[in-house]
Amino acid sequence: MRTVELNRETKETQIKLMLNIDGKGSFSGTSGIGFFDHMLDQIVHHAGISLSVKAVGDLDVDEHHTMEDVAIVLGEALTK
């Protein structure tokens, strides 16, 4: 199976992501941002891949850091 697990830690966030290109369109975990989790779920469902995300971020300051860092790690995972 084509899988990758990546981590990213910054001053604002800690991201752990697992991607399985040969998955079954399932999403698990949370970014802490409900609508963003919904969009990730839709992406993996329609792409037929599986994704697990555990993100901890400074949501009390801004959601931007968490969404940006999850997107960066997801892009890196797809590249690998």
Side-chain angles (χ1 to χ4, degrees), residues 11-32:
K11 287 190 259 184
E12 296 89 9
T13 64
Q14 297 85 42
I15 311 295
K16 181 177 183 177
L17 183 141
M18 295 186 309
L19 176 69
N20 180 352
I21 293 293
D22 300 314
K24 303 207 186 288
S26 63
F27 173 74
S28 64
T30 184
S31 68

Side-chain angles (χ1 to χ4, degrees), residues 20-73:
N20 180 352
I21 293 293
D22 300 314
K24 303 207 186 288
S26 63
F27 173 74
S28 64
T30 184
S31 68
I33 306 165
F35 183 72
F36 188 52
D37 289 345
H38 167 71
M39 296 307 295
L40 291 170
D41 179 65
Q42 291 303 298
I43 290 168
V44 301
H45 172 77
H46 292 289
I49 61 179
S50 292
L51 176 67
S52 174
V53 172
K54 181 178 179 186
V56 177
D58 60 350
L59 297 178
D60 57 320
V61 174
D62 193 350
E63 296 175 344
H64 169 81
H65 296 133
T66 302
M67 291 190 306
E68 179 180 34
D69 287 349
V70 168
I72 288 169
V73 177

